[in-house]
Amino acid sequence: MSDSCEKCRSAGEKLMLKGERCFSPKCAMVKRPYRPGAHGPTEMRGKKSEYGRQLAEKQRAKEIYGTREIQFRNYVTKAEKLSGNTAENLMRLLELRLDNVVFRFGFAVSRAHARQMVNHGLIKLNGKKVNIPSYTVKELDQIEPKKKESFFEIKSEHCPSWMEFDKKNLKGKINHLPIREEIDTPINENLIIEFYSR
């Protein structure tokens, strides 16, 4: 079993880290919906403390967006320095990562796949190759695959409202920076801010 599947089982829910596999009967959360390890099937999930809830939510967000602890903490610090609601700022910063945007446009089946594509130089931003998955895209930026002939099926039907996708030319555009209501990631970002405020 892959590390991604174990992360979902540890969290007790699907984190959608494996793309299409997460929707199939092969999903680990369908076959073994309990924590990994010898005692997983019989372990009782007790009520978490407030700190436990905050920690779990932070870990869940890190896994969903594929960031390391130091990088995630930096996002929180940056969100605090921006004007407006810190929790919403955090979600906006995570959504504007280039690898997430590539995934949102349907160029990749998962964020991990999108991260790999960016690392390998397969994505162009405003006509130039960018190989930094954490690069923060901006309003009106345009994203497209480097070799369009290799994309036979683009799943952009559920493209968020803050983005615009030109399926004919296989090119995506950031219409405006997202607000929280336009981000469908099921995260309680307020718990995360509380965790780092301790």
Side-chain angles (χ1 to χ4, degrees), residues 68-134:
R68 296 175 183 269
E69 176 60 36
I70 294 177
Q71 190 177 41
F72 194 84
R73 183 188 291 270
N74 288 339
Y75 278 125
V76 174
T77 301
K78 187 174 181 179
E80 290 172 340
K81 293 178 180 178
L82 295 173
S83 61
N85 183 279
T86 300
E88 183 171 337
N89 288 339
L90 174 62
M91 292 303 298
R92 184 179 296 113
L93 289 171
L94 292 171
E95 278 293 302
L96 291 173
R97 284 174 56 96
L98 180 57
D99 55 359
N100 179 73
V101 170
V102 169
F103 166 67
R104 291 290 193 187
F105 276 128
F107 294 136
V109 297
S110 67
R111 288 181 177 87
H113 180 214
R115 199 153 41 251
Q116 186 178 47
M117 289 179 64
V118 177
N119 276 326
H120 291 173
L122 301 178
I123 296 296
K124 292 196 298 183
L125 176 72
N126 298 325
K128 297 181 180 180
K129 183 180 75 174
V130 177
N131 59 2
I132 304 172
S134 61

Side-chain angles (χ1 to χ4, degrees), residues 1-13 15 17 29 36 60 62-63 66:
M1 181 179 295
S2 71
D3 289 341
S4 296
C5 295
E6 288 192 1
K7 289 172 182 176
C8 291
R9 291 176 61 200
S10 294
E13 63 180 302
L15 300 179
L17 303 177
M29 284 301 295
R60 205 160 70 89
K62 277 174 51 186
E63 300 298 348

